Amino acid sequence: MEHGADEAASLELENFLPYRLNRLAEAVSRDFQTIYRTRHGLTRPEWRLLASLGQHGTMTATEVGRDSAMHKTKVSRAVSALEERRWLKRETDPEDRRVERLALTPVGAKAYAELVPLARRFEADLLRTLAPAERKALSVGLAAIERRFVGG
Amino acid sequence: MEHGADEAASLELENFLPYRLNRLAEAVSRDFQTIYRTRHGLTRPEWRLLASLGQHGTMTATEVGRDSAMHKTKVSRAVSALEERRWLKRETDPEDRRVERLALTPVGAKAYAELVPLARRFEADLLRTLAPAERKALSVGLAAIERRFVGG
DNA sequence: AGTCGACGGTTACGGATGCAACGAAATCGG
DNA sequence: CCGATTTCGTTGCATCCGTAACCGTCGACT
């Protein structure tokens, strides 16, 4: 057995689930990135923060982290960045002065409103290239591992 | 409409495909990481390089990059790291002296052979928690977007 | 009230990452 | 056969990231 192509002892990377998920996520994100990066110079954490606040209204940093699956340091830095842009304002919660209540400013909300249709179109364009049965399969399959890994 | 929960104007992040893929890929990878990180202190690029060479035998850095979806600087640094460990050796191709032919040493091959069953078991354990129909759906769904994004 | 542990959020720091620029070698074009 | 262009791989640099340590605040328990 000269090289590693031995069936039993080798692993087919291209069929290995962690690898497939990563490669796919990276490819899709890299593509989607152009929407929020070229238009506004947003980073991914900043986009996610914007998306969280746009969707849910006022939130705390911890809530944003849970909602958008980001480490608290990422959230913290994204908050500083969007605050710098005047896209969001923070207010210390008078009930609990450890907490900050985060909300988009009108300018931030405007940017969000501008990005949402582009995001929707991106996803729609992507899904349109799949057959209906494939879309369904994707939805079912992703939901299944999400139950195992993300949700509960 | 006070906050962003407005159906038409907001985006449900948790159902947004790029977000779902990223969150899932990160969660799965974070879990899988422990296998190659705690046992050998490998980074992800190093693991991928090992996996590529273990599967295909001798390759060039460019081929590894294509096979494992890594930027050439990642490959370059991973090669240096595994060479440092004596897990791989490089040889300048005499036919084209720009190219290096990379191959695992016996020590590297041994580490690979040791990791493969663990990787297989990880994937099997993950898939075992899914119903057969869900596994099928996942396979079909991922393959479908891969065709659009990764492959052709 | 005073102490202690838990919690929200920030920051210093070491390490990883991608871009761009680079050197060396091959290939192409005249 | 020589200069221009392309390719392989490396490296400098600026940025991003997570870990751990930290500060201020809250709540519980004494």
Side-chain angles (χ1 to χ4, degrees):
Chain A
M1 212 61 50
E2 185 78 88
H3 69 313
D6 182 317
E7 290 269 324
S10 97
L11 183 77
E12 291 182 9
L13 193 58
E14 67 273 21
N15 293 325
F16 187 55
L17 190 56
Y19 172 66
R20 288 175 75 190
L21 287 173
N22 261 285
R23 186 183 44 170
L24 206 45
E26 255 173 56
V28 172
S29 286
R30 184 171 285 274
D31 208 4
F32 178 58
Q33 233 190 3
T34 63
I35 289 178
Y36 55 75
R37 208 173 49 111
T38 68
R39 290 187 74 85
H40 296 293
L42 289 177
T43 64
R44 186 164 9 150
E46 287 158 23
W47 151 250
R48 282 200 192 168
L49 169 60
L50 183 69
S52 265
L53 292 178
Q55 181 182 353
H56 295 115
T58 300
M59 302 173 79
T60 71
T62 301
E63 287 166 349
V64 170
R66 184 166 29 248
D67 183 63
S68 64
M70 291 199 292
H71 192 275
K72 62 180 179 174
T73 61
K74 264 188 195 170
V75 176
S76 174
R77 285 157 181 152
V79 167
S80 297
L82 291 199
E83 187 186 31
E84 187 92 10
R85 278 176 199 247
R86 320 279 177 192
W87 281 17
L88 87 83
K89 65 185 193 312
R90 19 180 161 194
E91 241 170 72
T92 303
D93 185 335
E95 308 274 318
D96 181 345
R97 306 207 335 270
R98 292 171 303 183
V99 171
E100 313 202 328
R101 301 167 70 260
L102 309 170
L104 295 182
T105 62
V107 183
K110 181 153 170 276
Y112 176 71
E114 188 186 320
L115 284 172
V116 164
L118 299 177
R120 282 236 182 77
R121 181 197 309 263
F122 175 89
E123 189 182 41
D125 284 351
L126 200 168
L127 291 175
R128 193 175 307 118
T129 67
L130 306 192
E134 290 174 334
R135 279 200 289 281
K136 179 65 179 167
L138 182 64
S139 166
V140 170
L142 288 185
I145 355 178
E146 278 169 350
R147 264 197 302 286
R148 162 76 172 73
F149 262 88
V150 180
Chain B
M1 210 60 46
E2 186 78 86
H3 68 315
D6 182 317
E7 290 271 323
S10 96
L11 183 75
E12 292 182 10
L13 194 58
E14 67 273 20
N15 292 326
F16 187 54
L17 190 55
Y19 172 67
R20 289 176 74 190
L21 287 172
N22 262 286
R23 186 181 45 168
L24 205 45
E26 256 173 54
V28 172
S29 286
R30 183 172 286 273
D31 208 4
F32 178 59
Q33 232 191 1
T34 64
I35 289 179
Y36 54 75
R37 209 173 50 111
T38 69
R39 288 189 74 86
H40 297 293
L42 290 177
T43 65
R44 187 167 2 154
E46 287 158 23
W47 151 250
R48 281 199 192 169
L49 170 60
L50 183 69
S52 265
L53 292 178
Q55 180 181 355
H56 295 115
T58 301
M59 302 173 79
T60 71
T62 300
E63 287 166 350
V64 170
R66 183 165 31 246
D67 182 64
S68 63
M70 293 198 291
H71 192 275
K72 61 180 179 173
T73 62
K74 265 190 194 168
V75 176
S76 174
R77 284 157 181 151
V79 167
S80 296
L82 292 198
E83 186 186 31
E84 187 93 10
R85 277 179 200 248
R86 319 280 178 193
W87 282 16
L88 87 81
K89 64 184 194 314
R90 22 180 158 192
E91 241 171 73
T92 302
D93 186 334
E95 308 274 318
D96 182 344
R97 305 203 342 265
R98 292 171 304 183
V99 171
E100 313 203 328
R101 301 166 68 258
L102 307 170
L104 296 182
T105 62
V107 182
K110 182 154 168 275
Y112 175 69
E114 189 186 320
L115 283 173
V116 164
L118 299 177
R120 281 235 184 78
R121 180 195 311 263
F122 175 89
E123 189 183 40
D125 284 351
L126 199 167
L127 292 175
R128 193 174 310 118
T129 67
L130 305 192
E134 291 173 334
R135 279 201 288 280
K136 180 64 180 167
L138 182 63
S139 166
V140 169
L142 288 184
I145 355 177
E146 278 170 349
R147 263 197 302 286
R148 163 74 171 75
F149 261 88
V150 181

